[in-house]
Amino acid sequence: MFKKGTKSTLDCLCRGTTLGMVVEGVQRGFLFMYVWVVSSITPLISPGGYLGQKAMNFIDYFALSGLSLMERRHMTSRYLVVKKRIGTADGNSTEDQRIHLLDFEGQGTLPPIIILHGICSRGADYYPLIRQLQRNSRRVVALDLPGHGLSVSNLDMTLEQMVELSVEAVQQCVDEIHPVRQGATTDSTPATSTHFSSSSSSSPLLESPSSDRPILLGNSLGGFVATKCAASGAIDLGGLVLMSPGGAPLSHDELNRVHDIFGMKTLGDASRFVERVLGKEDNDLPFGVRHVLGWAARERSLRPSVQRIFNQAISSNTDVFRLLPAELQRVNCPVLLVWGKKEEVFLEHHFEWFHLHFRSRRTQRTQVFRPEKLGHVPQLDGEMLAGAVAAFLRDTDYDSNSYV
């Protein structure tokens, strides 16, 4: 079991010093250099093919090794074993789905936070945000949604099944952090495997005081899943943070627009995709970052499991990727809605739809954060977002002109 609030000797010596800045730069450069080399070679050989996918998988594992090195004993990488029966296309069913998560010890006193990423992403991509959240929260957990990252899933899984499995995984994760649901236990589903673990402890997530219910934070597809979790009524949450969530009604033309944004046929398309979702111009990004992130997003989008989920989400023949006003009304916890003014995937009236229905709740607080320079995904703006989340959890005003 971790000791709450412990820090490594190097952290204590380096934090806030020139040496600390150098160490952090070396850490970032270590990961960036390797990703740059691999991503520069594999697209030329087999873009979207076997070699590209294997390289992407290798980078996923390598990045976790780097995170383990940087976090040392403050991070655990492991699997949740979710006992959820999933029907397949051939009529069979599978059980014991393995959902990968990263479990970070925090240094703060605020409630634990569970992060759900967007499509073509994974939990580790949110590390810049996680590092900032750690300063205020006791624990931060980032899940890989089914079919993404290192989460094992059936390739025939539908979007609806992915959402059901995700809700079950979140519920199990919350039960470990805050075991108050009737019949919930912290040792009912031990992890079967741990990769790149920074801890010698095999225990589940650190238990929290009963008054500190976990906070669920979701971005894009993860925001859609997070809203489903909160609306289910089966998960005991202390708050909901939604960053450009999906689920608002989309017209046929708007569905085609989203398809065009995520339809990365070439590396040039992938680079433009990065600019649009980050809300940043090329000169706002460090050298080479747009190329690396674009290649990674394109390779992930070409995974069969991700393609199946995405195609169903933007299909005009299904309402699976659509929230109902009644579902937002059933969210029985405070909500922070983050919607950057450089959002280009969804439109302004989609924000207004969420805002209207969350604000119409009579008994729960709803706050909105509209940062000027934030796009669809928050990975590179961790400090600003963590400040807004901390202010929301403390029920105070964030020091920003965009906080309303």
Side-chain angles (χ1 to χ4, degrees), residues 368-382:
V368 175
F369 182 43
R370 302 297 309 273
E372 292 285 347
K373 297 183 179 181
L374 186 69
H376 186 68
V377 295
Q379 284 92 321
L380 300 184
D381 298 277

Side-chain angles (χ1 to χ4, degrees), residues 89-306:
D90 57 9
N92 297 322
S93 61
T94 60
E95 291 185 282
D96 292 350
Q97 305 293 318
R98 301 170 69 230
I99 304 299
H100 178 257
L101 63 82
L102 297 176
D103 179 12
F104 294 83
E105 179 190 9
Q107 291 84 45
T109 59
L110 292 178
I113 297 176
I114 301 172
I115 296 177
L116 303 180
H117 61 78
I119 200 163
C120 302
S121 189
R122 57 175 183 160
D125 291 343
Y126 289 70
Y127 181 64
L129 174 60
I130 292 170
R131 290 185 66 220
Q132 300 298 327
L133 293 174
Q134 283 178 282
R135 298 181 178 181
N136 295 311
S137 296
R138 289 194 309 278
R139 184 157 300 275
V140 183
V141 179
L143 272 67
D144 287 350
L145 294 178
H148 296 74
L150 301 181
S151 289
V152 179
S153 69
N154 192 293
L155 294 182
D156 293 330
M157 183 181 297
T158 65
L159 173 61
E160 186 172 14
Q161 291 170 332
M162 187 278 291
V163 172
E164 292 177 359
L165 181 57
S166 299
V167 172
E168 188 71 23
V170 170
Q171 179 168 294
Q172 184 171 314
C173 189
V174 169
D175 286 345
E176 291 186 358
I177 297 176
H178 185 66
V180 297
R181 191 170 60 91
Q182 186 174 3
T185 59
T186 58
D187 57 354
S188 58
T189 51
T192 58
S193 174
T194 301
H195 293 285
F196 310 118
S197 175
S198 305
S199 170
S200 59
S201 171
S202 59
S203 59
L205 306 177
L206 196 66
E207 294 183 16
S208 305
S210 59
S211 60
D212 292 334
R213 294 174 295 169
I215 309 301
L216 194 55
L217 183 153
N219 174 221
S220 192
L221 174 64
F224 170 77
V225 175
T227 305
K228 285 283 190 179
C229 291
S232 69
I235 304 177
D236 191 26
L237 296 174
L240 188 64
V241 179
L242 301 176
M243 300 179 175
S244 298
L250 299 175
S251 67
H252 179 72
D253 289 342
E254 289 167 349
L255 287 171
N256 289 336
R257 180 176 175 275
V258 173
H259 181 272
D260 290 341
I261 293 175
F262 283 86
M264 295 170 277
K265 297 180 179 179
T266 66
L267 290 178
D269 292 339
S271 294
R272 286 186 290 272
F273 166 80
V274 171
E275 289 183 4
R276 299 188 73 171
V277 298
L278 291 181
K280 301 181 184 298
E281 302 294 336
D282 189 30
N283 54 9
D284 293 331
L285 298 173
F287 174 75
V289 167
R290 183 179 65 162
H291 173 77
V292 172
L293 296 181
W295 174 81
R298 181 167 179 256
E299 290 297 334
R300 292 173 183 171
S301 71
L302 294 174
R303 289 178 174 175
S305 56
V306 174

Side-chain angles (χ1 to χ4, degrees), residues 2-8 12 73-74 105-108 138 206:
F2 287 126
K3 294 181 180 179
K4 187 173 78 171
T6 57
K7 299 180 182 180
S8 68
C12 295
R73 57 196 175 93
H74 298 298
E105 179 190 9
Q107 291 84 45
R138 289 194 309 278
L206 196 66

